Amino acid sequence: NAGVTQTPKFRVLKTGQSMTLLCAQDMNHEYMYWYRQDPGMGLRLIHYSVGEGTTAKGEVPDGYNVSRLKKQNFLLGLESAAPSQTSVYFCASSYMDRESNTEAFFGQGTRLTVV
Amino acid sequence: LAKTTQPISMDSYEGQEVNITCSHNNIATNDYITWYQQFPSQGPRFIIQGYKTKVTNEVASLFIPADRKSSTLSLPRVSLSDTAVYYCLVGVAPNDYKLSFGAGTTVTVRA
């Protein structure tokens, strides 16, 4: 059971380049999330998904796009990278059981540098 | 999610008990309170969740007063490895799917 796996772990981009970060979970969770974390800061929600084929904007969605074509995968795209997008990106998935207990599981993070 | 307020940082020494209080004055009737822990260079991990009174597991205890407008995470006898950022979240799906983290509380444990 791998949990939440992010690909790649590290990446350096030039300004204006595009890339896609992949998040895969094998826990059959309905909800998935993308966050960014800047040095010394908390996590900020970029986009999230409540199920296959659905996505929604979080707190800082500008400059990013997402897709959830398959339940187990949540992709984060940067169409034209900017230095301000240099950050550590975390993906998470979560569930809610019948007793309304919920728990999120996080990936190991992707360290992205835009030069 | 209901807005939460927690201290930015706390210092402690090995073997002491650390209590972090989170204020959530606008907590809704169906909201749960959840705490996460984040070590440097890692994603957050779930610590504990509760609705009212007291919840205890192998890692921590969570105290929730009757009015539920605040909660206290208690870490017993901390060690250096408990140095981390601790986040308090309030809310629950299906009414609120967003999982929004604030700045958290940085707990530093010294020898």
Side-chain angles (χ1 to χ4, degrees):
Chain A
N1 190 338
V4 178
T5 302
Q6 293 183 227
T7 308
K9 293 183 174 57
F10 302 93
R11 184 72 186 268
V12 177
L13 284 180
K14 293 183 178 179
T15 298
Q17 285 186 320
S18 63
M19 78 163 295
T20 299
L21 281 67
L22 171 63
C23 177
Q25 53 100 358
D26 59 4
M27 297 170 283
N28 200 35
H29 288 170
E30 288 294 333
Y31 317 129
M32 296 189 74
Y33 311 83
W34 274 108
Y35 298 88
R36 62 175 288 173
Q37 186 171 37
D38 300 322
M41 306 285 286
L43 286 86
R44 290 187 290 171
L45 182 63
I46 305 172
H47 287 280
Y48 63 102
S49 169
V50 301
E52 180 179 320
T54 70
T55 62
K57 294 180 179 180
E59 303 156 348
V60 289
D62 294 341
Y64 305 95
N65 56 77
V66 289
S67 65
R68 182 112 181 257
L69 299 180
K70 295 182 179 180
K71 186 177 184 179
Q72 64 268 32
N73 296 334
F74 195 28
L75 279 63
L76 177 71
L78 286 74
E79 291 186 351
S80 179
S84 61
Q85 294 178 304
T86 293
S87 188
V88 178
Y89 291 84
F90 288 103
C91 174
S93 70
S94 72
Y95 70 92
M96 187 182 71
D97 63 20
R98 294 181 180 179
E99 286 75 40
S100 294
N101 295 310
T102 184
E103 178 178 347
F105 295 81
F106 282 79
Q108 75 277 29
T110 296
R111 188 173 297 274
L112 175 67
T113 302
V114 182
V115 297
Chain B
L1 263 65
K3 182 176 173 137
T4 60
T5 302
Q6 52 184 121
I8 294 175
S9 64
M10 297 180 70
D11 289 340
S12 183
Y13 291 92
E14 285 188 295
Q16 289 187 335
E17 179 182 77
V18 173
N19 296 307
I20 310 170
T21 297
C22 178
S23 298
H24 28 79
N25 293 320
N26 297 322
I27 188 169
T29 303
N30 294 331
D31 285 344
Y32 276 67
I33 301 157
T34 310
W35 286 80
Y36 286 81
Q37 174 190 54
Q38 184 181 26
F39 296 116
S41 301
Q42 294 185 26
R45 69 165 187 154
F46 174 93
I47 300 178
I48 198 166
Q49 184 177 71
Y51 182 78
K52 62 180 179 180
T53 62
K54 177 183 175 182
V55 180
T56 297
N57 61 23
E58 64 279 4
V59 177
S61 294
L62 179 59
F63 298 92
I64 306 169
D67 66 5
R68 303 200 329 121
K69 293 185 182 300
S70 67
S71 59
T72 298
L73 175 73
S74 180
L75 306 171
R77 297 180 298 281
V78 295
S79 64
L80 296 176
S81 62
D82 292 314
T83 293
V85 180
Y86 294 82
Y87 299 94
C88 167
L89 281 73
V90 174
V92 67
N95 296 320
D96 192 344
Y97 294 106
K98 288 184 181 180
L99 203 58
S100 294
F101 288 72
T105 298
T106 299
V107 173
T108 303
V109 180
R110 307 182 192 279

